[in-house]
Amino acid sequence: MSFRTSGLHHVTAIGGDPQRNADFYLRTLGLRLVKTTVNFDDPGTYHLYYGDESGKPGTLLTFFPWRDVPRGRIGTGQATTTSFSVPEQSIGWWKRHLEAAGVETSRVTNRDDEDVLSFRDPDGLPLALVAHPQGDPRDPWDTPLVPGEHAIRGLHSVTLSVSREDATAGMLTEGLGLSFAAEDGNRFRFHAGAGGPGALVDVLVTPDAPKGLVAGGTVHHVAWRAPDEQTQAAWREELVSRGVGVTSIMDRQYFRSIYFREPGGTLLEIATDQPGFSIDEPLLELGRALKLPPWLEPNREQIQAMLPELELPAENNAVRT
C-alpha cells in the first residue's frame, strides 16, 4: 500500500435526544463540544463534535442526534465498541464517577496489559475506557466534574465486529496501511504507525452474531487520518484502482472526506487533518454557536427553526489555566 494512515480521525455515531447527548458527553465524560453544526446531508439534524480543547484528530466522537430515533442493533458489519484512553491510575476513579452518575459499568478487566472498563451511553452505544500502561501524552480537557488528572485523552481504539476476518484484515492492511499486531482468541488487533492509543483497531470475529442495524445507539462510520488533501486525492485514486467503491471527495468544512465500506460491512472514511475547527470561530468559543457551511448559510433561519434548542452546560467553556 502506497499510503498509510497515522491513526483514527474520528468516530461518528447516531444518538437520540440532542440535549441528553450533550449533557452526557460534556458533564459525565468531560469532553468538550468543539463544533455545533448540522448534518450537511440532512440539515434538519445537528452534527455535534466532542473532543479535546481544540478537537484534534484522534480525540473526536461525533453524533447525529435525532429525537425519537429507532434503536439500532449491535452486530456484525459495524463498529461495535468505541474506546477512549484514560490514565492508568484512573480506572477506579472512573468506575466510581460513572456509577455515581447512574451509569451501569462492567467490572474492570485486563486485556493485552490494558485495564478496560465498559459501559453504554444513554442511547445504548457501547463505550469503553482503556488505561494504556505506556501512558498517553495527549492533553485532556479539564473540567470541574472531570479533572485533568483523570480526564479522557482521546480515542484509544475501535472494535469492528465481523463474521469472518480475512477480507476485513486485507482492507485494513492493504487499504489503510495498518499492521497486524496481535491475536487473542477471536480478537485480532491492528495498529497504525507505532501503535498506541488513537492508532488501534480490533477486529472481533463473531460468526454467530446477528447482522448489525445502524440506527440509534450504534456507530455510523469510522474515520482515519490523511495528512492533507493531496494525499487524500492520490489515496482515493489508488483505492479506486484496486476496485474499491469510493465516494467523491466531500467538503465537510473542517476536513475533506472520502467514504467506502470494508468487506465486512463497516463504513469507513479517510478524513484530512486540516483545516480544523477554528476556521470559523475562535478556540475559546468553540461549540457555543451554530455554525453552517457557506452553502447552507442562506437557509439559516429555516434550519434553526427545525432544530431543537440546545443548552450547553458551563463545563464546555471551563476556564483554562
Side-chain angles (χ1 to χ4, degrees):
M1 184 68 199
S2 302
F3 303 99
R4 296 180 179 274
T5 183
S6 60
L8 291 162
H9 188 284
H10 67 268
V11 174
T12 293
I14 299 175
D17 180 74
Q19 187 65 60
R20 183 179 64 184
N21 184 270
D23 288 342
F24 179 80
Y25 284 94
L26 299 179
R27 296 179 60 83
T28 305
L29 291 194
L31 300 176
R32 188 185 191 195
L33 181 63
V34 296
K35 193 61 60 178
T36 302
T37 184
V38 295
N39 181 336
F40 293 174
D41 303 317
D42 179 12
T45 302
Y46 282 113
H47 193 176
L48 305 178
Y49 289 79
Y50 304 103
D52 68 356
E53 181 179 18
S54 62
K56 289 190 289 293
T59 71
L60 296 161
L61 176 60
T62 91
F63 279 90
F64 303 135
W66 280 282
R67 283 180 170 172
D68 302 319
V69 66
R71 179 64 64 91
R73 181 174 61 245
I74 305 298
T76 60
Q78 62 182 201
T80 49
T81 302
T82 302
S83 300
F84 292 104
S85 172
V86 298
E88 188 174 16
Q89 73 280 6
S90 296
I91 284 289
W93 182 92
W94 273 104
K95 186 170 178 62
R96 294 189 296 273
H97 171 74
L98 290 170
E99 290 176 350
V103 179
E104 184 178 349
T105 67
S106 70
R107 64 182 181 87
V108 177
T109 60
N110 188 274
R111 185 171 63 233
D112 297 326
D113 294 325
E114 297 173 326
D115 287 333
V116 181
L117 178 65
S118 300
F119 58 101
R120 292 177 182 252
D121 83 352
D123 292 301
L125 182 72
L127 301 170
L129 300 175
V130 182
H132 192 69
Q134 279 72 49
D136 189 333
R138 294 175 291 182
D139 293 328
W141 177 242
D142 188 358
T143 76
L145 292 179
V146 183
E149 63 184 297
H150 299 299
I152 288 169
R153 268 46 182 175
L155 293 171
H156 174 274
S157 59
V158 293
T159 299
L160 308 184
S161 290
V162 298
S163 57
R164 52 182 299 173
E165 80 280 4
D166 49 355
T168 295
M171 175 60 77
L172 295 177
T173 56
E174 298 171 17
L176 294 172
L178 302 182
S179 300
F180 173 72
E183 177 181 350
D184 181 12
N186 64 336
R187 183 181 294 270
F188 300 82
R189 172 159 288 187
F190 298 81
H191 64 78
L200 302 170
V201 58
D202 289 339
V203 176
L204 185 65
V205 183
T206 54
D208 297 327
K211 184 174 178 57
L213 174 64
V214 175
T218 67
V219 169
H220 186 270
H221 64 266
V222 176
W224 296 87
R225 296 174 65 177
D228 51 52
E229 293 180 47
Q230 294 76 18
T231 302
Q232 182 189 63
W235 202 334
R236 179 184 180 278
E237 291 305 312
E238 179 160 331
L239 288 168
V240 169
S241 72
R242 292 169 175 261
V244 180
V246 189
T247 66
S248 60
I249 295 173
M250 298 184 180
D251 183 358
R252 299 310 193 192
Q253 185 76 350
Y254 312 106
F255 46 87
R256 305 294 182 266
S257 300
I258 58 175
Y259 302 86
F260 56 97
R261 290 193 184 274
E262 55 85 16
T266 306
L267 183 62
L268 302 181
E269 174 184 353
I270 296 176
T272 58
D273 283 352
Q274 300 298 327
F277 294 99
S278 59
I279 62 166
D280 58 0
E281 58 185 339
L283 177 65
L284 292 178
E285 298 178 11
L286 290 181
R288 295 186 188 183
L290 176 66
K291 294 297 178 179
L292 299 176
W295 60 91
L296 290 179
E297 192 61 50
N299 300 321
R300 172 175 285 272
E301 186 174 340
Q302 178 184 0
I303 289 171
Q304 286 185 312
M306 292 189 293
L307 295 170
E309 289 192 20
L310 184 64
E311 295 184 9
L312 299 186
E315 285 77 12
N316 203 56
N317 301 307
V319 176
R320 307 306 304 272
T321 59

